Amino acid sequence: MTLPPRPAEVPGIPPGNVALVVNGGLMRGMRAHDRMLQAGAVFLREVTTAPRYRLWSIADRFPGMLHAPAGGAAIGAELYAVPRAGFAGIVESEPDGLCVGRVLLSDGTAPLGVLAEPRLVEGRTEITAHGGWRAYVLAQGIPQA
């Protein structure tokens, strides 16, 4: 069996840092963004995933994003450079059911990103049509402070 080629890495990430895509509470202006700042993460830019993902609201506290073999959409997110020393702290403080995996972006790169385990989204409200967590919380009036 031949494996598909590995997606391109994100250019411009400083040595000693990990490229990390976040799509929920860790984004700027959201309730858990201070964890990114405490870890020394540096915002690089807003990004959009390739149209291969679906998004759910987990009790309106945070989103759960899954890769969708079919019927996926592009999801808005943010890209950060995170010092390796702070990366583990970010991941360890994520809610149960969130994990880290490769997220394919619209530019063809595939940095690490926050994803959900399938069990987390069972019975939850799908919010893919909003195009991202920020748009969803604004539309629903969900406070983020």
Side-chain angles (χ1 to χ4, degrees):
M1 178 173 119
T2 303
L3 294 175
R6 184 178 175 125
E9 297 295 329
V10 178
I13 300 299
N17 283 259
V18 175
L20 180 66
V21 173
V22 297
N23 61 55
L26 295 172
M27 295 189 302
R28 295 169 300 148
M30 298 292 159
R31 70 179 76 208
H33 183 68
D34 62 324
R35 291 190 353 234
M36 297 293 280
L37 300 176
Q38 291 168 2
V42 175
F43 171 78
L44 298 176
R45 63 184 174 272
E46 292 183 3
V47 294
T48 304
T49 69
R52 297 182 181 186
Y53 298 89
R54 292 171 63 190
L55 195 66
W56 285 262
S57 172
I58 310 305
D60 284 350
R61 299 277 305 149
F62 57 90
M65 185 172 78
L66 288 174
H67 182 265
I75 303 296
E78 293 181 349
L79 178 66
Y80 288 81
V82 181
R84 289 187 189 281
F87 179 75
I90 292 171
V91 173
E92 289 172 350
S93 62
E94 283 293 87
D96 180 46
L98 294 181
C99 57
V100 174
R102 294 270 174 198
V103 174
L104 183 62
L105 299 179
S106 60
D107 66 3
T109 61
L112 295 176
V114 178
L115 296 166
E117 296 174 3
R119 67 176 173 84
L120 185 65
V121 304
E122 291 175 6
R124 302 295 183 164
T125 302
E126 185 170 353
I127 61 171
T128 303
H130 287 273
W133 181 248
R134 188 178 307 282
Y136 174 74
V137 298
L138 288 172
Q140 300 299 312
I142 300 169
Q144 289 299 299

